[in-house]
Amino acid sequence: MKVIVISVHPDDETLGCGGTLLKHKNNGDELNWLIITKPNEKVGFKKEFIERRKNEIKIVAEYYGFNKIYELDYITTKLHLVDLSNLIRDISDVILEVKPDIVYMNNRTDIHTDHQVAAKAIMSCTKSFRYPFIKKVLMYECISETEITPSLPENIFIPNVYSDITDFIQKKVEIMKIYKSEVQEAPLPRSLDNIKALARFRGASCGVQYAEAFMLVREKF
């Protein structure tokens, strides 16, 4: 089985479905990683941070054992300024090359504008009549992005698929530690304690110790 996880920003994949990716790898599935944005000096990132992030991506990729990493050149925090047709084209090129059975994508209503724009483009790249090889599309949640969005009916993340990650929660936390600048201290949401607490809560929802939750967008049997 071929899997692609799409990160708007590096760390989304680990926050949203790191345990599930590790489980896929343990099952012998092929993993691929698409990263849409990258830090740039134009928006205030220092060279040291940019180099450190490149190194973090390499280390994280080794942990997951990705078959291939695809990195687009869009500037982080600026997706709302790009031509959506170009973004759709670039994502589509990767999807057509990988031909994944399963697509993991960010939640469409996350508070981060980059996530909202990316989700709209990704959905255009999963149409069944253009990408018939895709069997399942799942939206993952990113703590600090998904739950902070205004609690209006159209924005609510309603999980309907759960992945038991009990055997992989510790490794997920260890991988998250690699993103040093993204890890926060409790009680802030992206603390390691809260990342684990969310997995524990999701596990309680489906009768296991730890789980990751998803919204099923589409499934083809």
Side-chain angles (χ1 to χ4, degrees), residues 42-218:
K42 294 178 181 178
V43 289
F45 290 96
K46 295 181 179 179
K47 288 182 179 179
E48 293 79 8
F49 176 88
I50 294 171
E51 289 304 313
R52 185 169 71 248
R53 179 49 53 87
K54 289 179 182 178
N55 187 54
E56 289 171 349
I57 289 171
K58 289 179 182 179
I59 297 172
V60 168
E62 289 174 1
Y63 269 91
Y64 287 117
F66 288 114
N67 177 64
K68 193 168 181 180
I69 305 171
Y70 300 85
E71 296 184 73
L72 305 184
D73 290 323
Y74 294 97
I75 299 175
T76 188
T77 74
K78 298 298 180 182
L79 277 189
H80 62 289
L81 299 178
V82 308
D83 186 326
L84 192 63
S85 63
N86 291 337
L87 181 58
I88 292 170
R89 178 203 62 211
D90 291 341
I91 295 172
S92 178
D93 286 346
V94 175
I95 296 292
L96 289 170
E97 180 177 329
V98 175
K99 290 184 170 57
D101 299 284
I102 301 177
V103 176
Y104 291 100
M105 61 173 287
N106 62 284
N107 175 46
R108 67 182 180 86
T109 60
D110 284 356
I111 195 65
H112 202 306
T113 305
D114 279 358
H115 286 212
Q116 297 169 21
V117 174
K120 188 173 184 178
I122 294 165
M123 288 306 302
S124 294
C125 300
T126 62
K127 296 176 181 177
S128 58
F129 60 89
R130 295 192 187 279
Y131 311 89
F133 42 81
I134 296 176
K135 296 181 176 64
K136 189 180 295 186
V137 180
L138 292 158
M139 289 193 299
Y140 56 75
E141 60 182 334
C142 278
I143 194 168
S144 81
E145 302 291 357
T146 304
E147 81 284 2
I148 293 178
T149 195
S151 55
L152 303 172
E154 65 270 20
N155 290 341
I156 298 174
F157 178 84
I158 307 174
N160 52 15
V161 173
Y162 296 87
S163 171
D164 182 355
I165 63 164
T166 303
D167 294 337
F168 305 98
I169 183 63
Q170 294 301 335
K171 192 168 184 180
K172 168 176 173 157
V173 170
E174 289 302 312
I175 294 173
M176 191 60 206
K177 288 180 183 178
I178 296 168
Y179 294 113
K180 292 181 180 179
S181 64
E182 304 302 327
V183 176
Q184 301 171 321
E185 295 295 327
L188 296 177
R190 267 184 284 115
S191 69
L192 298 177
D193 285 346
N194 284 334
I195 290 169
K196 197 169 182 178
L198 176 60
R200 187 71 185 91
F201 172 67
R202 293 308 188 191
S205 300
C206 63
V208 301
Q209 289 295 317
Y210 295 96
E212 288 169 338
F214 303 90
M215 282 186 68
L216 178 64
V217 177
R218 184 179 301 114

Side-chain angles (χ1 to χ4, degrees), residues 11-62:
D11 83 345
D12 293 345
E13 78 297 327
T14 299
L15 289 171
C17 56
T20 302
L21 294 175
L22 291 167
K23 184 162 70 171
H24 273 297
K25 193 64 180 179
N26 189 64
N27 291 339
D29 297 332
E30 178 188 298
L31 300 183
N32 298 275
W33 188 13
L34 169 58
I35 304 170
I36 293 178
T37 71
K38 58 178 58 176
N40 191 289
E41 289 181 80
K42 294 178 181 178
V43 289
F45 290 96
K46 295 181 179 179
K47 288 182 179 179
E48 293 79 8
F49 176 88
I50 294 171
E51 289 304 313
R52 185 169 71 248
R53 179 49 53 87
K54 289 179 182 178
N55 187 54
E56 289 171 349
I57 289 171
K58 289 179 182 179
I59 297 172
V60 168
E62 289 174 1

